[in-house]
Amino acid sequence: EYTVPIEIAVDEADQWTNDAANGKIVGVPTGFVDLDKTLGSMINGNVYIVAARPKKGKTSLLLSIARNAAKRYKKRVGIFSLEMSRMQVAQRLISQTAEIDLQKIIQGRLKADEWGKFNRGRDEVKALPIVINDLSAINIAQIRQTARRIKASGGLDLLIIDYIQLASGADKKFERRDLEVSAVSRGLKYLARELNVPILAAAQLSRAVEQRASQRPILSDLRESGSLEQDAYAVMFLFEQNDNKNKNVIGLEVAAHRNGPT
């Protein structure tokens, strides 16, 4: 099935272009207009990396994209949350949907007029076609097995990993951490091709970015593995806009894009 005459590949390319020209959604849009103009939506079979230092909004962005894909575009989304529990993921999704501060939801400090928004947000999130796995000590083989089951049990359109450096390579031990991260990165690339879905994964940046005056990330800041840049179809950075005009604003840069603009 993977060895075909060129005319089959050309027919597939022709179909893709005609679908796009006729306004049919090809791939999975992020729901962020400017980002979708640059990426042209997330294409099946490819890995997309969102990288940042801690507390810069990686998880918030990933969950926003998951919610957009599930709500606006009716895509079935699988989320592997290696850092947070499934309840914490649900709380964040409710917070985004209801537009209520997350701390108020966690602490139950809702005002009288916010309970209605909370209940509507809760019910809306509950109905989304999202599947969550929150096993923290998970390896790439377990991710592959679980993703296959998710797809077999009801379909799968987008897979989200939060985040790469928390996954282990396999049951075997690696001599160096960078080799293990490379194994995870390569495994995700193979999995995206096998399942024919886009994979959106968060990654941690090294501390080197904090030692520069601008604190704007560069590709060499990808922590523990240059293979993340090599395996990804696109690499995006989140960073704090620390000039006077943009206080408390997180910027997003498409730093690498295999077949498109940055």
Side-chain angles (χ1 to χ4, degrees):
E1 65 182 295
Y2 294 101
T3 307
V4 299
I6 184 64
E7 57 259 33
I8 292 179
V10 170
D11 286 344
E12 291 173 348
D14 179 59
Q15 185 66 53
W16 178 284
T17 301
N18 277 282
D19 286 345
N22 292 323
K24 183 178 178 181
I25 294 175
V26 288
V28 180
T30 67
F32 291 89
V33 176
D34 290 339
L35 183 55
D36 285 330
K37 284 179 182 177
T38 302
L39 293 180
S41 81
M42 295 179 289
I43 302 169
N44 291 346
N46 292 294
V47 176
Y48 295 79
I49 300 290
V50 174
R53 289 295 293 153
K55 307 294 186 290
K56 298 300 181 189
K58 295 188 298 296
T59 299
S60 293
L61 178 64
L62 262 58
L63 293 183
S64 292
I65 292 173
R67 188 169 62 92
N68 290 341
K71 181 184 177 184
R72 295 189 201 174
Y73 307 109
K74 312 304 178 188
K75 304 292 186 180
R76 193 164 191 249
V77 182
I79 299 175
F80 284 84
S81 178
L82 284 68
E83 190 172 34
M84 298 188 306
S85 71
R86 60 196 180 205
M87 185 189 73
Q88 290 172 314
V89 171
Q91 287 174 327
R92 284 185 173 232
L93 287 170
I94 294 169
S95 171
Q96 290 181 352
T97 304
E99 297 183 349
I100 298 174
D101 184 83
L102 179 61
Q103 286 303 310
K104 287 186 176 183
I105 291 174
I106 292 173
Q107 297 171 9
R109 294 187 293 103
L110 300 181
K111 296 178 181 178
D113 62 333
E114 291 176 323
W115 278 105
K117 292 170 63 179
F118 172 80
N119 291 333
R120 287 190 295 273
R122 176 202 63 206
D123 292 343
E124 185 176 310
V125 171
K126 205 171 184 178
L128 294 176
I130 292 176
V131 180
I132 302 172
N133 179 294
D134 64 352
L135 178 62
S136 56
I138 196 169
N139 62 43
I140 187 63
Q142 292 170 312
I143 291 174
R144 182 183 298 112
Q145 292 167 1
T146 306
R148 285 171 176 166
R149 286 199 296 268
I150 293 171
K151 183 162 187 176
S153 66
L156 182 63
D157 300 301
L158 172 64
L159 195 61
I160 289 177
I161 313 290
D162 188 21
Y163 61 91
I164 284 179
Q165 282 96 342
L166 289 179
S168 56
D171 293 330
K172 69 175 183 177
K173 292 187 177 180
F174 291 82
E175 293 179 5
R176 301 197 314 267
R177 178 60 181 156
D178 63 312
L179 296 177
E180 186 169 23
V181 174
S182 294
V184 174
S185 174
R186 201 173 310 115
L188 291 179
K189 184 174 183 178
Y190 295 156
L191 182 60
R193 292 288 302 276
E194 177 191 336
L195 298 179
N196 194 34
V197 301
I199 293 180
L200 177 63
Q204 198 84 277
L205 291 176
S206 69
R207 288 192 177 93
V209 67
E210 297 176 351
Q211 297 166 5
R212 293 192 295 271
S214 69
Q215 295 194 4
R216 194 182 183 105
I218 57 178
L219 289 168
S220 61
D221 293 326
L222 283 169
R223 186 176 172 186
E224 294 172 325
S225 179
S227 67
L228 291 175
E229 176 189 352
Q230 178 183 319
D231 294 331
Y233 187 84
V235 177
M236 294 164 273
F237 290 138
L238 296 176
F239 58 95
E240 196 164 346
Q241 301 269 26
N242 52 11
D243 57 68
N244 291 328
K245 290 192 301 182
N246 296 299
K247 289 184 177 179
N248 301 318
V249 173
I250 295 293
L252 187 150
E253 177 185 6
V254 180
H257 190 190
R258 182 160 295 159
N259 288 329
T262 55

